[in-house]
Amino acid sequence: MALTNDIIKQRLIEKFGEQLSNFSEPYGILTFEAPKELNLKVLNFLYDDEELKFRFMTDLTGVHYPSEAGRELAVVYHLHNMVDNIRIRFKVFTDINKLDVYTATGLFSAANWMERETYDFFGIKFVGHPNLKRILNVEEMDYFPLRKEFPLEDQTRIDKDDEMFGR
Amino acid sequence: MSRPVSYNLINKPLEADISIVNMPDGHQGEGFFATTLNSVIGLARKNSIWPLPFATSCCGIEFMATMGSHYDLARFGSERVGFSPRQCDLLMVMGTIAKKMGPVVKQVYLQMAEPRWVMAVGACASSGGIFDTYSVLQGIDQVIPVDVYVPGCPPRPEAIIDGVMRIQDLVGKESLRRRNGEQYKALLESYGIQ
């Protein structure tokens, strides 16, 4: 029997019960939230289970939701089951003042650079990462540019007349 | 109605077998010609500039067209594009320079021997262009001194050639003492060079 989103959801609820929340299927991809302490347990379960077999990490990234107090930063995991060609996505949320999230590098080597990128742009500290330093931006950068409180434009320019740029 | 095709049919008579630059002002008589060392060296330098292309994006493609047979930068004495900064006179920075690339541009500039000139080709190299963002250097004049800016996004080969001709003007008219002068030292000092 082919693997479907309903079966995956059922298996996850059997294993983790009430701890997983906000199940939805935008664009047909099963999406849910997990507490950040459980991220490795969920990843391991999805990897090891003989039926689910989510053994390829497509993407790992961050999102900043400045309006949601206490859960401002999200880490998003995208996984792929290569055998049944099914994708899954889940998010863990963290407080902007407590940025520790367990690293997934032990399970997926692909997570290494993607976690460095997420650290580079959002400042999320991946506990246990072997080499957590900036990957894309200049090393002297002292802020995390994709957080919403920082404007996109370069703030060091002095020749800029806001009126002429329609701002 | 389709537009009539026009061919370049004007038959321009050849003025001379070899084109030679005009001689500088000076005094001449039978068997001698006297002029300033400045203008002789300027003449030699401006007609044998070796460009170093530092091409990072679409302006670099326009530069390739400029070097090609249709536009032919070789007509201006820049036949030989050097790919070693140690051999070149003119650094042509073409394309977006990210902040992470800034130290590389500066390093290349430092490796060039004096006298050296710099041309910023295109909006990105001149001012950051449309990339007004945290990751892009807002003009290469933040890290190295620039002699000529070529506007455009990207500039056409004609514009790049015009920029090269302006560099030639600067090179030809430059005083031999300029690079030892206080003003030039202060300029380099302001970029933290030497």
Side-chain angles (χ1 to χ4, degrees):
Chain A
M1 191 180 72
L3 193 61
T4 62
N5 284 349
D6 290 332
I7 300 173
I8 300 166
K9 185 176 171 182
Q10 197 189 329
R11 295 296 308 272
L12 281 165
I13 290 175
E14 276 169 25
K15 172 81 179 168
F16 295 101
E18 295 293 301
Q19 290 170 298
L20 308 183
S21 56
N22 281 349
F23 282 92
S24 63
E25 291 186 24
Y27 301 99
I29 300 177
L30 183 65
T31 304
F32 60 92
E33 272 179 51
K36 72 171 182 175
E37 296 77 21
L38 274 185
N39 68 340
L40 288 190
K41 292 209 173 80
V42 174
L43 282 174
N44 269 315
F45 173 70
L46 290 167
Y47 189 99
D48 290 333
D49 192 278
E50 278 310 313
E51 197 185 355
L52 301 180
K53 294 193 290 265
F54 284 100
R55 290 177 187 167
F56 183 77
M57 173 170 272
T58 327
D59 197 10
L60 187 163
T61 187
V63 190
H64 186 204
Y65 299 101
S67 56
E68 299 190 21
R71 34 181 281 155
E72 287 95 346
L73 284 166
V75 182
V76 190
Y77 299 87
H78 288 232
L79 304 173
H80 190 184
N81 176 336
M82 295 280 220
V83 178
D84 298 290
N85 192 20
I86 290 190
R87 292 170 194 276
I88 197 173
R89 164 171 54 198
F90 80 94
K91 294 179 179 179
V92 301
F93 286 86
T94 182
D95 191 315
I96 202 156
N97 300 313
K98 286 180 232 136
L99 290 163
D100 298 331
V101 175
Y102 294 120
T103 177
T105 45
L107 194 56
F108 297 103
S109 296
N112 189 320
W113 283 10
M114 293 195 281
E115 285 182 353
R116 277 178 69 186
E117 186 199 24
T118 310
Y119 165 73
D120 194 353
F121 286 103
F122 296 95
I124 293 162
K125 301 241 182 332
F126 289 94
V127 180
H129 190 283
N131 184 26
L132 194 63
K133 60 176 188 186
R134 288 188 184 272
I135 186 169
L136 293 170
N137 284 308
V138 282
E139 278 167 28
E140 305 85 69
M141 189 174 261
D142 52 1
Y143 66 105
F144 302 109
L146 286 196
R147 290 202 188 161
K148 303 286 186 199
E149 65 260 38
F150 299 109
L152 178 69
E153 291 83 15
D154 192 291
Q155 299 303 301
T156 57
R157 276 184 83 154
I158 41 170
D159 60 334
K160 210 163 49 174
D161 186 346
D162 280 356
E163 209 169 297
M164 295 181 73
F165 286 85
R167 287 197 279 256
Chain B
M1 197 184 102
S2 62
R3 205 174 63 158
V5 179
S6 66
Y7 297 98
N8 187 6
L9 292 176
I10 303 161
N11 194 8
K12 195 181 170 205
L14 198 63
E15 287 164 10
D17 287 340
I18 310 168
S19 60
I20 295 176
V21 291
N22 296 326
M23 67 202 297
D25 292 337
H27 300 286
Q28 61 177 324
E30 184 134 2
F32 79 93
F33 174 73
T35 184
T36 56
L37 185 62
N38 225 14
S39 53
V40 174
I41 290 184
L43 191 72
R45 278 180 179 169
K46 75 177 257 196
N47 291 296
S48 61
I49 294 172
W50 285 21
L52 167 63
F54 193 103
T56 51
S57 45
C58 46
C59 293
I61 307 292
E62 295 298 307
F63 176 72
M64 292 169 208
T66 314
M67 285 304 298
S69 55
H70 195 99
Y71 293 96
D72 200 10
L73 196 62
R75 294 177 293 152
F76 301 88
S78 300
E79 176 75 61
R80 169 61 157 80
V81 181
F83 292 99
S84 160
R86 298 177 204 284
Q87 299 173 342
C88 291
D89 311 302
L90 170 63
L91 175 62
M92 299 174 79
V93 181
M94 296 167 279
T96 319
I97 301 297
K99 279 183 181 162
K100 216 169 178 178
M101 193 62 118
V104 180
V105 177
K106 188 164 182 176
Q107 174 90 4
V108 168
Y109 179 76
L110 291 176
Q111 285 174 343
M112 293 169 73
E114 292 277 17
R116 55 195 167 187
W117 290 270
V118 178
M119 192 167 134
V121 177
C124 292
S126 304
S127 72
I130 59 168
F131 302 105
D132 183 5
T133 174
Y134 58 88
S135 59
V136 173
L137 198 64
Q138 302 298 304
I140 59 162
D141 50 9
Q142 295 195 353
V143 286
I144 53 174
V146 176
D147 292 284
V148 168
Y149 299 86
V150 178
C153 187
R156 284 192 57 85
E158 289 93 331
I160 298 179
I161 286 177
D162 186 60
V164 171
M165 288 167 76
R166 279 163 200 260
I167 286 277
Q168 282 188 312
D169 276 355
L170 284 176
V171 174
K173 287 177 186 154
E174 185 175 300
S175 156
L176 289 180
R177 295 175 194 274
R178 176 181 173 238
R179 309 253 161 190
N180 300 320
E182 286 303 312
Q183 207 180 351
Y184 186 71
K185 284 213 179 86
L187 174 72
L188 289 189
E189 203 72 43
S190 70
Y191 284 97
I193 296 170
Q194 85 213 188

